[in-house]
Amino acid sequence: MAERVSVDDLGIWVTRPHGTTGIPWVEVTRVSVYVSVLPPDGRRIVWMDATHVSGEFVEINSLTEGFDEAVAAVASRSDRGPVDLVRLHSSDPPVEIYRAEE
């Protein structure tokens, strides 16, 4: 079984062969997306970072099943609107797609 990310009313979850982990929304402070390019072949990977109230974070990459849907689901929880992942470049700063209300 491959890794799969999902987003629901309770939080952001990653399911792996050994179980499911994640962060409940009440513990998420912000979520951002960014791009990296990996050597040696220049493979482009999009990342989503979900930051926990403790400062710890969960990184999920675009190789994970359900990634695009998860990014869209997180972005829909904020007033920031959808983000075009195709237009992101590795030179761009992280794009915040969700911030908890203070």
Side-chain angles (χ1 to χ4, degrees):
M1 171 171 133
E3 288 188 3
R4 177 159 187 75
V5 60
S6 60
V7 174
D8 61 22
D9 289 340
L10 300 176
I12 302 170
W13 313 104
V14 179
T15 302
R16 297 179 174 96
H18 63 275
T20 300
T21 59
I23 305 176
W25 284 117
V26 296
E27 298 175 8
V28 175
T29 59
R30 68 180 173 274
V31 180
S32 299
V33 292
Y34 64 93
V35 172
S36 62
V37 177
L38 303 178
D41 59 354
R43 184 176 195 171
R44 180 182 184 273
I45 305 288
V46 182
W47 298 86
M48 177 170 65
D49 278 358
T51 305
H52 186 267
V53 293
S54 69
E56 298 283 325
F57 59 92
V58 174
E59 278 187 319
I60 305 159
N61 68 50
S62 54
L63 301 177
T64 307
E65 288 181 24
F67 181 83
D68 291 340
E69 295 86 355
V71 170
V74 170
S76 73
R77 296 183 67 87
S78 72
D79 294 333
R80 301 182 196 316
V83 61
D84 186 352
L85 299 177
V86 174
R87 298 188 73 193
L88 289 178
H89 298 283
S90 60
S91 59
D92 294 337
V95 175
E96 186 174 88
I97 60 172
Y98 173 83
R99 179 176 290 271
E101 295 180 14
E102 297 178 10

